Amino acid sequence: MNHRKSTHQEDPMACKNQPQDGNPRPCSATPGVSSSSPSARALLSDAAFTGVMHTVLDNNPGMDPSRASRIVVEALKFVHAASLFPLVRISPTEEVDEGWHALILHTHLYATLCSRLGRTVHHFPERPEAARPDPDILTRTMALIEQAGYNVDAELWTGRQESLVGVVRHTPMPGGCGPINPGNCASHGGDDDE
């Protein structure tokens, strides 16, 4: 598995009227996509899902196909939650990031998915630095996935011992303003026109 750090970041102006009480609310509903969908798997056709799953398998020799399938499903949940809560800093685990990378490699499919979800969820790689820890990021990510209407696959988010597994993060741009901090950085790189 690739162990780059990753998070998502979206245009900070894309979702206005968030409450000041610190409890994020989903941005406006996306036509044709319900945040309470029973299965994130339904976000892709069978052929598209299989293609993404095989990308995960190709990048991880020896991985069980059922695990690769679960990773892709969790990546879909993550992307959907990121599209609904674009102002909240969230990150996938290293395993779920594998699924997100695989989705992104299928560029047309990913662009179509993001269009259906109502916004592009950009991926900004970040080098790991001790000065940027956020111990609550996975807890916050799992909570937002649940707010999006999904159950999380606990093993892929917390590991077998229920301790949080490695997190991946992104930064807006190499040499940019530092860790993603929605709303507090002048250059987020979240332009939906790309």
Side-chain angles (χ1 to χ4, degrees):
M1 249 186 276
N2 190 341
H3 296 286
R4 281 180 244 144
K5 301 293 182 180
S6 313
T7 59
H8 104 281
Q9 177 59 38
E10 184 55 52
D11 179 355
M13 301 308 290
C15 183
K16 297 180 180 180
N17 303 322
Q18 286 292 307
Q20 298 300 315
D21 63 6
N23 297 316
R25 307 282 192 281
C27 284
S28 60
T30 305
V33 178
S34 168
S35 65
S36 60
S37 297
S39 170
R41 170 65 187 80
L43 293 171
L44 297 180
S45 70
D46 289 342
F49 185 89
T50 299
V52 174
M53 184 187 73
H54 281 286
T55 298
V56 171
L57 288 169
D58 291 346
N59 290 330
N60 297 277
M63 180 180 279
D64 181 77
S66 66
R67 186 166 193 88
S69 176
R70 290 171 47 214
I71 287 170
V72 174
V73 168
E74 293 307 298
L76 288 166
K77 293 173 188 178
F78 173 81
V79 171
H80 193 184
S83 75
L84 290 171
F85 300 96
L87 297 179
V88 181
R89 184 178 180 197
I90 64 174
S91 293
T93 62
E94 291 174 1
E95 281 192 286
V96 175
D97 197 50
E98 280 291 308
W100 189 18
H101 285 206
L103 281 166
I104 292 169
L105 287 173
H106 293 258
T107 58
H108 181 70
L109 178 150
Y110 188 70
T112 302
L113 172 66
C114 287
S115 177
R116 286 186 57 231
L117 295 176
R119 68 189 74 251
T120 300
V121 178
H122 293 284
H123 183 288
F124 300 99
E126 176 182 289
R127 297 193 78 132
E129 290 186 27
R132 296 189 230 197
D134 183 350
D136 301 320
I137 201 159
L138 287 180
T139 302
R140 184 169 51 249
T141 301
M142 291 185 294
L144 290 181
I145 288 170
E146 289 175 350
Q147 273 190 275
Y150 301 111
N151 292 319
V152 297
D153 183 331
E155 182 183 346
L156 295 177
W157 289 97
T158 63
R160 285 183 171 83
Q161 289 78 32
E162 296 303 314
S163 61
L164 293 179
V165 296
V167 64
V168 288
R169 291 183 275 277
H170 300 293
T171 191
M173 62 180 65
C177 61
I180 291 177
N181 190 5
N184 294 327
C185 177
S187 59
H188 291 287
D191 188 316
D192 276 339
D193 294 332
E194 294 177 5

